[in-house]
Amino acid sequence: MQWAIATAAFLASAVEFVEAFTIVLVVGVTINWRSSLLGAFAAAATLAIIVATLGVALVKWVPINDFRLAVGIILILFGLKWLKKAILRYSGLKALHDEEAIFEETVAEIRARGETVAPRFQPFGVALSYKSVLLEGLEVAFIVITFGSSISTSVGGNGILSAAIGATVAGILVIAAGAIIQAPLSKVPENTLKFIVGIMLTSFGTFWAAEGFGYTWPLSDAFIPILIAIYLLASYILVSWLKQYKRRQLASAANASASTPEQEGVRP
Amino acid sequence: MKAIKAIYNFIVGDMVILVGVIITMLALALINFVGALSPLRIATGAILVVAVLVVLTATLYREIRG
């Protein structure tokens, strides 16, 4: 069992499954649970097939250095995307992901279409649930494949299996929590999870991309925690800088609004 | 075109990150495959880390300016 890989896959999956669960819940509440669960399970099966086929094919057919380089680049791209969103949300420049608002919005959309609670399978409900789980899960599937297969090729063992276990456990936990609460999982610290995953993807991506060019890191694999520390420190500095920027913007906006009535007052 | 846009949005969805990472990889490819630049090979890791941080800062800067 590769714990770092399983943890990264678990955290990434938890974020994405919480987002997908909101839509599954909407379909379950507004149409029916049969359609909602059928769509969700069909999407989960599709994702499992993608991971099993693509993951194994990549490990078998692509030369290790080219593979590491490609995986490294993809992980850096994914990692920076997640990190950017998380940093903007931490600094208050972007609104936090609001599951309850998304829930209400989607319920309104479905009701506006004229869909009502029905006892039988509703194709629209199945499709909506399938689409949401598949779209949110695709990114996780990519992380599972790239992370897992890169470990499989470098240190042996079954990295894809470790990553798949991490993702599955996250899925089960989200479904169980959702089944108990029967409401959008708004208490899950999505941004913190996103931030941790962003740091991990960027660190591993940097490590493997450089190795793909034939570079050997000092201390070998032990350099990964150093990369994580570097990116954590940089993120902390960036969040502080953005918070200061936001405070300055608010202060200048307040000054501008305070000076406007005075200017108006001296006008004849 | 729609498919390319969907893939772009799925993988990165940010032009600064995409262009920044591509330029970084091209620079590292030059360093590692051109003989005259071979003295820089030892700095591959450091260059990559610095480039990733520059790309992250640049995309955040664009975000607050835009």
Side-chain angles (χ1 to χ4, degrees), chain A residues 70-213:
Chain A
V71 164
I73 294 170
I74 290 172
L75 288 182
I76 290 173
L77 291 173
F78 270 138
L80 285 178
K81 183 172 81 166
W82 286 50
L83 208 49
K84 175 191 153 190
K85 277 186 197 165
I87 287 174
L88 285 173
R89 283 178 178 147
Y90 271 141
S91 56
L93 289 164
K94 191 178 167 87
L96 289 172
H97 207 266
D98 188 346
E99 294 303 331
E100 273 171 21
I102 293 167
F103 178 83
E104 298 298 340
E105 212 173 278
T106 318
V107 167
E109 272 172 30
I110 291 176
R111 292 206 170 128
R113 270 182 57 96
E115 301 285 344
T116 50
V117 177
R120 292 185 182 174
F121 283 117
Q122 289 281 72
F124 172 74
V126 176
L128 185 59
S129 179
Y130 179 84
K131 200 179 86 177
S132 73
V133 175
L134 188 71
L135 287 181
E136 298 293 349
L138 261 181
E139 204 160 333
V140 175
F142 243 71
I143 292 169
V144 165
I145 292 169
T146 49
F147 242 71
S149 47
S150 193
I151 282 289
S152 298
T153 50
S154 56
V155 296
N158 202 334
I160 292 180
L161 185 66
S162 301
I165 289 171
T168 310
V169 170
I172 291 168
L173 281 180
V174 168
I175 291 167
I180 294 165
I181 297 168
Q182 299 258 323
L185 299 171
S186 50
K187 294 258 160 41
V188 174
E190 278 185 61
N191 202 45
T192 305
L193 295 179
K194 212 159 215 159
F195 178 74
I196 295 168
V197 175
I199 292 281
M200 286 186 89
L201 296 183
T202 312
S203 305
F204 278 88
T206 305
F207 187 82
W208 283 323
E211 281 203 333
F213 282 112

Side-chain angles (χ1 to χ4, degrees), chain A residues 69 73-74 76-78 80-81 83-84 87-88 93 135 138-139 142 202 205-207 209-210 213-215 217 223 227 230-231 234-235 238 241-242 245 249, chain B residues 9-14 17-18 21 24-26 28-30 32-33 41-46 48-50 52-53 55-57 59-65:
Chain A
L69 181 59
I73 294 170
I74 290 172
I76 290 173
L77 291 173
F78 270 138
L80 285 178
K81 183 172 81 166
L83 208 49
K84 175 191 153 190
I87 287 174
L88 285 173
L93 289 164
L135 287 181
L138 261 181
E139 204 160 333
F142 243 71
T202 312
T206 305
F207 187 82
F213 282 112
Y215 177 73
W217 290 93
F223 201 81
L227 284 175
I230 291 170
Y231 289 134
S235 300
L238 285 169
W241 167 57
L242 290 174
Y245 177 85
Q249 290 283 94
Chain B
N9 281 330
F10 171 67
I11 293 180
V12 60
D14 184 307
I17 294 176
L18 183 65
V21 171
T24 305
M25 293 305 153
L26 287 176
L28 289 178
L30 280 176
N32 281 278
F33 301 119
R41 276 177 206 167
I42 197 165
T44 297
L48 184 53
V49 172
V50 171
V52 166
L53 291 175
V55 170
L56 181 61
T57 310
T59 186
L60 288 168
Y61 185 74
R62 193 193 66 156
E63 209 62 45
I64 57 171
R65 287 282 161 189

